[in-house]
Amino acid sequence: MSDKSMKTATKIVSLGREKKYSKGVINPPVFRASTVVFDTLDDMRHAAKHKHEGELFYGRRGTPTHFGFQAAIAGLEGGAGTALYPSGAAAISAALLAFLKAGDHLLMVDSVYEPTRDLCNKLLANYGIETTYYDPLIGEGIQALIRPNTKVLFVESPGSITMEVQDVPTLARIAHEHGMVVILDNTWASPINSRPFELGVDISIQAATKYIVGHSDVMIGTATANAAHWDKLREHSYLLGQTTSPDDVYLAARGLRTLGVRMAQHEKNALAVANWLAARPEVDHLRHPAFPSCPGHAFFKRDFTASNGLFSFVLKDGSSDAMQAFVEGMDHFKMGFSWGGFESLILWVNGIQNIRSATTWDSSKPLIRVHIGLEDPEDLIADLEQGFARYNQLMGR
Ligand SMILES: *Cc1c(COP(=O)(O)O)cnc(C)c1O
């Protein structure tokens, strides 16, 4: 049965569970190894030759636990192969280092995940790699920023915190006209809500820590490449010594099997909460890609099949005390960063203007980011209503 003949829900359940990975049980078991031993030189040579096709060769190159999960993610994202990393951040650094060298120039979206910005400014800069940040809504304007030494275009859509949706096909087309590699942080879409390779990207990254794991208890990252870039990505990741624990991979693969139903419920709950928020007098606008108030909403409608539980909303105003009272007294929303689990989260994000350089942010309007979990949305709305009551009291309303 080929991947192409299956619908997404079937792929989520079936890919990477073939007998060569599972050995006949349902979930490919935790297969631990450092040393792989051979009886004959011929066996050793055979394994060396086929080490990229699922033959056991050396622990760092993975075991059937890894191979099954890699096959599942590659199949879902639609790429030629998937490399695994101990975190999403490690996947991002490995992908960038595979395609950049001293003297190169990188185009990085301004609304990128903050640790990715830090990587560029604090590490890549020291390696002689220069970064220019661009407006997530730049579109065709990207052309003007490309130099002879620009080698990589990095996109993240929607952007972290501020949620701008990018015109990825246009950006990728222009980047390819200049021979650049296009790397996408595809974490928000997960492997099921967009078709990154059909949009023109070369590498699609997942912080699998988020929705793939789905239970807030494992760190893991993936980078999936198209055929033209897979060998280089795999080899560079190996050179960097990247490896993942089979226990963590097992949990990620276990989480993956329910990704479809979880995502559908996150989306439904988040839309219920977002619709309620949109009608609140305190709310200036929603930064939810499925709402017209979100910059780049038209690209969301064109390039994504669904949304999820993560979005932001901007208030018209709010003192520090009022914002603190809003977010501190919640029953169900806990304050925390790493989203994508079954539980709801809330963050009052301060200082966005400090992590933007190609665009400006009006810091007088407070932004709250929420992750809507699998609780009943009525309980979540009641929790937010209490938050607004505490906020309004301190705002003297
Ligand atoms: C969380 C996140 C990451 C980093 O993933 P970790 O597994 O926490 O390192 C990268 N990109 C985006 C968009 C994220 O939300």
Side-chain angles (χ1 to χ4, degrees):
M1 190 168 39
S2 87
D3 288 6
K4 289 218 164 53
S5 68
M6 280 187 248
K7 303 277 190 208
T8 301
T10 311
K11 286 186 189 175
I12 292 170
V13 168
S14 308
L15 293 184
R17 288 203 300 106
E18 293 85 340
K19 203 159 189 172
K20 63 183 166 183
Y21 311 121
S22 69
K23 313 296 173 192
V25 300
I26 301 299
N27 290 317
V30 176
F31 210 113
R32 299 182 144 279
S34 57
T35 315
V36 177
V37 290
F38 308 95
D39 291 331
T40 66
L41 277 176
D42 261 1
D43 287 352
M44 188 184 264
R45 286 183 194 121
H46 177 85
K49 191 165 169 209
H50 298 283
K51 59 180 181 282
H52 302 320
E53 296 130 49
E55 285 291 326
L56 269 178
F57 184 63
Y58 186 82
R60 201 183 323 119
R61 291 195 183 267
T63 68
T65 317
H66 302 86
F67 303 151
F69 182 61
Q70 287 170 295
I73 298 298
L76 281 166
E77 293 239 55
T82 297
L84 303 181
Y85 306 88
S87 67
I92 292 166
S93 61
L96 284 169
L97 288 169
F99 298 101
L100 289 166
K101 61 178 186 328
D104 285 350
H105 177 231
L106 161 68
L107 286 175
M108 176 59 67
V109 63
D110 204 34
S111 47
V112 75
Y113 179 64
E114 190 177 352
T116 306
R117 176 180 282 269
D118 289 344
L119 170 77
C120 298
N121 297 347
K122 297 177 181 173
L123 190 142
L124 296 185
N126 290 339
Y127 289 179
I129 297 160
E130 192 188 343
T131 302
T132 298
Y133 293 92
Y134 66 89
D135 182 335
L137 301 170
I138 197 168
E140 302 266 352
I142 197 76
Q143 186 90 40
L145 300 179
I146 297 173
R147 308 175 189 168
N149 63 338
T150 311
K151 295 292 162 60
V152 170
L153 173 80
F154 193 100
V155 287
E156 180 182 325
S157 183
S160 278
I161 312 288
T162 46
M163 308 300 286
E164 298 89 343
V165 188
Q166 296 193 252
D167 185 356
V168 173
T170 296
L171 294 166
R173 174 180 51 76
I174 295 169
H176 286 150
E177 284 166 10
H178 293 82
M180 295 159 62
V181 179
V182 180
I183 303 177
L184 166 69
D185 184 333
N186 197 33
T187 302
W188 189 83
S190 90
I192 62 171
N193 286 344
S194 78
R195 302 293 302 152
F197 296 97
E198 289 169 22
L199 301 179
V201 315
D202 299 304
I203 313 280
S204 176
I205 289 167
Q206 294 288 340
T209 307
K210 306 280 168 54
Y211 279 126
I212 294 171
V213 166
H215 296 72
S216 305
D217 51 5
V218 177
M219 307 292 304
I220 192 162
T222 70
T224 301
N226 58 16
H229 296 86
W230 169 233
D231 283 347
K232 189 165 188 185
L233 177 74
R234 183 192 58 217
E235 194 55 23
H236 278 248
S237 302
Y238 180 72
L239 293 173
L240 288 169
Q242 295 288 353
T243 180
T244 47
S245 148
D247 300 84
D248 291 346
V249 173
Y250 176 87
L251 287 169
R254 198 181 206 265
L256 176 68
R257 302 307 169 196
T258 57
L259 180 68
V261 288
R262 284 187 287 108
M263 289 294 273
Q265 194 64 41
H266 280 292
E267 173 180 47
K268 194 167 163 232
N269 290 2
L271 289 174
V273 173
N275 276 314
W276 180 82
L277 282 167
R280 288 294 305 197
E282 301 89 343
V283 172
D284 184 80
H285 69 282
L286 294 184
R287 291 258 169 160
H288 185 311
F291 284 73
S293 58
C294 191
H297 168 67
F299 307 130
F300 167 78
K301 284 203 296 189
R302 186 189 62 192
D303 298 340
F304 293 74
T305 53
S307 59
N308 60 29
L310 189 80
F311 70 92
S312 298
F313 57 96
V314 176
L315 300 182
K316 290 174 182 154
D317 58 0
S319 65
S320 285
D321 284 355
M323 294 308 296
Q324 187 174 350
F326 189 125
V327 295
E328 278 189 355
M330 311 300 282
D331 287 328
H332 304 294
F333 287 90
K334 302 299 173 197
M335 280 187 274
F337 296 97
S338 186
W339 46 274
F342 48 79
E343 79 293 355
S344 289
L345 298 170
I346 192 163
L347 268 189
W348 166 34
V349 188
N350 245 325
I352 295 170
Q353 64 280 9
N354 303 328
I355 50 168
R356 298 287 182 265
S357 52
T359 55
T360 52
W361 180 258
D362 177 1
S363 58
S364 70
K365 291 182 177 175
L367 178 146
I368 290 181
R369 187 185 77 176
V370 284
H371 178 253
I372 304 301
L374 302 178
E375 302 90 343
D376 191 306
E378 278 185 30
D379 288 333
L380 300 178
I381 287 170
D383 212 8
L384 290 167
E385 193 156 30
Q386 290 302 309
F388 276 120
R390 292 189 297 274
Y391 159 98
N392 280 324
Q393 197 177 12
L394 286 168
M395 292 298 285
R397 290 171 186 147

